[in-house]
Amino acid sequence: MSIVHEMQVAVQEQKRQRGNPKLGVSLPYSVVREAIKPHQFKNFKQYQDWVRENNPEGFPLHPKMTYSRKNEWISKAHFLGKTEDMTPEIVAQEDKTIETPIAFGGLRRIISQILGLRK
């Protein structure tokens, strides 16, 4: 039995225990990464299309969001198995592809109101 199959069984058990079979429980970053390496996806869209078509248990459609919350995300190139390098330059290069910058002004205002720093 492969490690991926064992992890998928564990994910199914977690879902059963939680009582919600539609609740998405993802496999660990390293397991998913090793499992998708043989597919040699050329880009991230190919990975997402593969997940949509095959619906593999425990493979997130949006891995950056999933693994960023767990503080495991490194980069798209690393996730797809294109590089073993985990340097900040790769992450910075991916950040350049963000088309719309995130404005935190509104968030600062809300936090200030919550903390009573500003009315």
Side-chain angles (χ1 to χ4, degrees), residues 65-109:
M65 190 179 349
T66 301
Y67 296 117
S68 291
R69 281 184 268 163
K70 297 177 180 180
N71 209 19
E72 295 177 324
W73 185 254
I74 298 167
S75 70
K76 289 179 183 177
H78 187 267
F79 179 76
L80 295 176
K82 294 182 173 207
T83 182
E84 296 299 320
D85 197 5
M86 297 185 285
T87 61
E89 290 81 25
I90 291 176
V91 177
Q93 184 179 12
E94 286 188 0
D95 287 347
K96 289 180 185 177
T97 63
I98 297 174
E99 295 174 6
T100 308
I102 300 169
F104 290 103
L107 184 59
R108 287 188 188 114
R109 182 180 50 78

Coordinates of all heavy atoms in Angstrom, one line a residue, residues 65-109:
M65 N -3.4 28.7 -0.9 CA -4.2 29.1 0.2 C -4.2 28.1 1.3 O -4.1 28.4 2.5 CB -5.6 29.3 -0.3 CG -6.6 30.0 0.7 SD -8.3 30.3 0.1 CE -8.2 30.0 -1.6
T66 N -4.3 26.8 1.0 CA -4.4 25.7 2.0 C -3.1 25.7 2.8 O -3.2 25.6 4.0 CB -4.6 24.4 1.2 OG1 -5.8 24.5 0.5 CG2 -4.7 23.3 2.2
Y67 N -2.0 25.6 2.1 CA -0.7 25.4 2.8 C -0.1 26.7 3.4 O 0.7 26.6 4.3 CB 0.3 24.7 1.9 CG -0.2 23.3 1.6 CD1 -0.5 23.0 0.2 CD2 -0.5 22.4 2.6 CE1 -1.0 21.7 -0.1 CE2 -1.0 21.1 2.2 CZ -1.2 20.8 0.9 OH -1.7 19.5 0.6
S68 N -0.6 27.9 2.9 CA -0.2 29.1 3.6 C -0.7 29.2 5.0 O -0.1 29.7 5.9 CB -0.6 30.3 2.8 OG 0.1 30.4 1.5
R69 N -2.0 28.7 5.1 CA -2.6 28.7 6.5 C -1.9 27.8 7.4 O -1.9 28.1 8.6 CB -4.1 28.3 6.4 CG -5.0 29.4 5.9 CD -6.4 29.0 5.9 NE -6.7 28.4 4.6 CZ -7.7 27.7 4.2 NH1 -8.5 27.3 5.2 NH2 -7.8 27.3 3.0
K70 N -1.3 26.8 6.9 CA -0.5 25.8 7.7 C 0.9 26.2 7.8 O 1.7 25.5 8.4 CB -0.7 24.4 7.2 CG -2.1 23.9 7.1 CD -2.1 22.5 6.5 CE -3.5 22.0 6.4 NZ -3.5 20.6 5.8
N71 N 1.3 27.3 7.2 CA 2.7 27.8 7.2 C 3.6 26.8 6.5 O 4.8 26.7 7.0 CB 3.1 28.2 8.6 CG 4.2 29.3 8.6 OD1 4.3 30.0 7.6 ND2 4.9 29.4 9.7
E72 N 3.2 26.1 5.5 CA 4.0 25.2 4.8 C 4.3 25.6 3.3 O 5.2 25.0 2.7 CB 3.3 23.8 4.7 CG 3.0 23.2 6.0 CD 2.3 21.9 5.9 OE1 1.4 21.8 5.1 OE2 2.6 20.9 6.6
W73 N 3.6 26.6 2.8 CA 3.8 27.0 1.4 C 5.1 27.6 1.2 O 5.6 28.4 1.9 CB 2.7 28.0 1.0 CG 2.8 28.3 -0.4 CD1 3.2 29.5 -1.0 CD2 2.4 27.5 -1.5 NE1 3.1 29.4 -2.3 CE2 2.6 28.2 -2.7 CE3 1.8 26.2 -1.6 CZ2 2.3 27.7 -3.9 CZ3 1.5 25.7 -2.9 CH2 1.8 26.5 -4.0
I74 N 5.8 27.2 0.1 CA 7.1 27.7 -0.3 C 6.9 28.5 -1.6 O 7.2 29.7 -1.7 CB 8.1 26.6 -0.5 CG1 8.3 25.9 0.9 CG2 9.4 27.1 -1.0 CD1 9.0 24.6 0.9
S75 N 6.6 27.8 -2.7 CA 6.4 28.5 -4.0 C 5.6 27.5 -4.9 O 5.6 26.3 -4.7 CB 7.7 28.9 -4.6 OG 8.4 27.8 -5.0
K76 N 5.1 28.1 -6.0 CA 4.5 27.2 -7.0 C 5.5 26.3 -7.7 O 5.2 25.1 -7.9 CB 3.8 28.1 -8.1 CG 2.6 28.8 -7.6 CD 2.0 29.7 -8.8 CE 0.9 30.5 -8.3 NZ 0.3 31.4 -9.3
A77 N 6.7 26.8 -8.0 CA 7.7 25.9 -8.6 C 8.1 24.8 -7.7 O 8.2 23.7 -8.1 CB 8.9 26.8 -9.0
H78 N 8.2 25.1 -6.4 CA 8.6 24.0 -5.4 C 7.4 23.0 -5.3 O 7.7 21.8 -5.3 CB 8.9 24.7 -4.1 CG 9.4 23.7 -3.1 ND1 8.6 23.0 -2.2 CD2 10.7 23.3 -2.9 CE1 9.3 22.2 -1.5 NE2 10.6 22.3 -1.9
F79 N 6.2 23.5 -5.2 CA 5.1 22.6 -5.1 C 4.9 21.7 -6.3 O 4.7 20.5 -6.1 CB 3.8 23.4 -4.9 CG 2.5 22.6 -4.8 CD1 2.2 22.0 -3.6 CD2 1.7 22.4 -5.9 CE1 1.1 21.2 -3.5 CE2 0.5 21.7 -5.7 CZ 0.2 21.0 -4.5
L80 N 5.1 22.2 -7.5 CA 5.0 21.3 -8.7 C 6.2 20.4 -8.9 O 6.3 19.6 -9.8 CB 4.8 22.2 -9.9 CG 3.5 23.0 -10.0 CD1 3.5 23.9 -11.2 CD2 2.3 22.1 -9.9
G81 N 7.3 20.6 -8.0 CA 8.4 19.7 -8.1 C 9.4 20.2 -9.2 O 10.3 19.4 -9.6
K82 N 9.3 21.4 -9.6 CA 10.3 21.9 -10.6 C 11.6 22.4 -10.0 O 12.6 22.5 -10.7 CB 9.6 23.1 -11.3 CG 8.4 22.7 -12.2 CD 7.9 23.9 -12.9 CE 6.8 23.5 -13.9 NZ 6.7 24.4 -15.0
T83 N 11.6 22.6 -8.7 CA 12.8 23.0 -8.0 C 12.8 22.5 -6.6 O 11.8 22.3 -6.0 CB 13.0 24.5 -8.0 OG1 14.2 24.9 -7.4 CG2 11.8 25.2 -7.3
E84 N 14.0 22.3 -6.1 CA 14.2 21.9 -4.7 C 14.5 23.2 -3.9 O 14.6 23.1 -2.7 CB 15.2 20.8 -4.5 CG 14.9 19.5 -5.2 CD 13.6 18.9 -4.7 OE1 13.4 18.9 -3.4 OE2 12.8 18.4 -5.5
D85 N 14.8 24.2 -4.6 CA 15.3 25.5 -4.0 C 14.1 26.1 -3.2 O 13.0 26.2 -3.7 CB 15.8 26.4 -5.1 CG 16.6 27.5 -4.5 OD1 16.9 27.5 -3.3 OD2 17.0 28.4 -5.3
M86 N 14.4 26.6 -2.0 CA 13.4 27.3 -1.2 C 13.8 28.7 -0.9 O 13.5 29.2 0.2 CB 13.1 26.4 0.0 CG 12.5 25.1 -0.3 SD 12.1 24.2 1.2 CE 13.7 23.7 1.8
T87 N 14.5 29.3 -1.7 CA 15.0 30.7 -1.4 C 14.0 31.7 -1.5 O 13.0 31.6 -2.3 CB 16.2 31.0 -2.3 OG1 15.7 31.1 -3.7 CG2 17.4 30.1 -2.2
P88 N 14.1 32.8 -0.8 CA 13.1 33.9 -0.9 C 13.0 34.5 -2.2 O 12.0 35.1 -2.6 CB 13.7 34.9 0.1 CG 14.6 34.2 1.1 CD 15.1 33.0 0.2
E89 N 14.1 34.4 -3.1 CA 14.0 35.0 -4.4 C 12.9 34.3 -5.2 O 12.2 35.0 -6.0 CB 15.4 34.8 -5.1 CG 16.5 35.6 -4.6 CD 17.1 35.1 -3.3 OE1 17.1 33.8 -3.1 OE2 17.7 35.8 -2.5
I90 N 12.7 33.0 -5.1 CA 11.6 32.4 -5.8 C 10.3 32.9 -5.4 O 9.4 33.2 -6.2 CB 11.7 30.8 -5.7 CG1 12.9 30.3 -6.4 CG2 10.4 30.2 -6.2 CD1 13.2 28.8 -6.2
V91 N 10.1 33.0 -4.1 CA 8.8 33.5 -3.6 C 8.6 35.0 -4.1 O 7.5 35.4 -4.5 CB 8.8 33.4 -2.1 CG1 7.5 34.0 -1.5 CG2 8.9 32.0 -1.6
A92 N 9.7 35.8 -4.0 CA 9.6 37.2 -4.5 C 9.2 37.2 -6.0 O 8.5 38.1 -6.4 CB 10.9 37.9 -4.2
Q93 N 9.8 36.3 -6.7 CA 9.5 36.3 -8.2 C 8.0 36.0 -8.4 O 7.4 36.6 -9.3 CB 10.4 35.2 -8.8 CG 10.2 35.2 -10.3 CD 11.1 34.1 -11.0 OE1 11.7 33.3 -10.3 NE2 11.2 34.2 -12.3
E94 N 7.5 35.1 -7.6 CA 6.0 34.8 -7.7 C 5.2 35.9 -7.3 O 4.1 36.2 -7.9 CB 5.7 33.5 -6.9 CG 6.2 32.3 -7.6 CD 5.7 31.0 -6.8 OE1 4.9 31.2 -5.9 OE2 6.0 29.9 -7.3
D95 N 5.6 36.7 -6.3 CA 4.9 37.8 -5.8 C 4.7 38.9 -6.9 O 3.8 39.7 -6.9 CB 5.5 38.4 -4.6 CG 5.3 37.5 -3.4 OD1 4.4 36.6 -3.4 OD2 6.0 37.7 -2.3
K96 N 5.7 38.9 -7.8 CA 5.6 39.9 -8.9 C 4.5 39.7 -9.8 O 4.0 40.6 -10.5 CB 6.9 39.9 -9.7 CG 8.1 40.5 -9.0 CD 9.4 40.4 -9.8 CE 10.6 40.9 -9.1 NZ 11.8 40.8 -9.9
T97 N 3.9 38.4 -9.8 CA 2.8 38.1 -10.7 C 1.5 38.6 -10.2 O 0.5 38.5 -10.9 CB 2.8 36.6 -11.0 OG1 2.5 35.9 -9.7 CG2 4.0 36.1 -11.6
I98 N 1.5 39.1 -9.0 CA 0.2 39.6 -8.4 C -0.2 40.9 -9.1 O 0.6 41.8 -9.1 CB 0.4 39.9 -6.9 CG1 0.7 38.5 -6.1 CG2 -0.9 40.5 -6.3 CD1 1.0 38.7 -4.7
E99 N -1.3 40.9 -9.8 CA -1.7 42.0 -10.6 C -2.3 43.1 -9.8 O -2.1 44.3 -10.1 CB -2.7 41.5 -11.6 CG -2.1 40.5 -12.6 CD -3.2 40.0 -13.6 OE1 -4.3 40.4 -13.5 OE2 -2.8 39.1 -14.3
T100 N -3.1 42.8 -8.7 CA -3.7 43.8 -8.0 C -3.1 43.9 -6.6 O -3.2 42.9 -5.8 CB -5.2 43.6 -7.8 OG1 -5.8 43.4 -9.1 CG2 -5.9 44.7 -7.1
P101 N -2.5 45.0 -6.2 CA -1.9 45.0 -4.9 C -3.0 45.1 -3.8 O -4.1 45.6 -4.1 CB -1.1 46.3 -4.9 CG -1.6 47.1 -6.0 CD -2.2 46.2 -7.0
I102 N -2.7 44.5 -2.7 CA -3.7 44.5 -1.6 C -3.6 45.8 -0.8 O -2.5 46.1 -0.3 CB -3.4 43.2 -0.7 CG1 -3.6 42.0 -1.6 CG2 -4.4 43.2 0.5 CD1 -3.1 40.7 -0.9
A103 N -4.7 46.4 -0.6 CA -4.7 47.7 0.2 C -5.1 47.3 1.6 O -6.1 46.7 1.9 CB -5.7 48.7 -0.4
F104 N -4.2 47.7 2.6 CA -4.4 47.4 4.0 C -5.0 48.6 4.8 O -5.2 48.5 6.0 CB -3.2 46.8 4.6 CG -2.8 45.5 4.1 CD1 -1.8 45.3 3.2 CD2 -3.4 44.4 4.6 CE1 -1.4 44.1 2.7 CE2 -3.1 43.1 4.1 CZ -2.1 43.0 3.2
G105 N -5.2 49.7 4.1 CA -5.7 50.9 4.8 C -7.0 50.6 5.5 O -7.2 51.0 6.7
G106 N -7.9 50.0 4.8 CA -9.2 49.7 5.5 C -9.1 48.8 6.6 O -9.7 48.9 7.7
L107 N -8.2 47.8 6.5 CA -8.0 46.8 7.6 C -7.4 47.5 8.8 O -7.7 47.3 9.9 CB -7.0 45.7 7.1 CG -6.8 44.6 8.1 CD1 -8.1 43.9 8.5 CD2 -5.8 43.6 7.5
R108 N -6.4 48.4 8.6 CA -5.8 49.2 9.7 C -6.9 50.0 10.4 O -6.9 50.1 11.7 CB -4.7 50.1 9.1 CG -3.5 49.4 8.7 CD -2.4 50.4 8.4 NE -1.3 49.7 7.8 CZ -0.8 49.9 6.6 NH1 -1.4 50.7 5.8 NH2 0.2 49.2 6.1
R109 N -7.8 50.6 9.7 CA -8.8 51.4 10.3 C -9.7 50.6 11.1 O -10.1 50.9 12.3 CB -9.7 52.1 9.2 CG -10.8 53.0 9.7 CD -11.6 53.7 8.5 NE -12.0 52.7 7.5 CZ -13.1 51.9 7.7 NH1 -13.8 51.9 8.8 NH2 -13.4 51.1 6.7

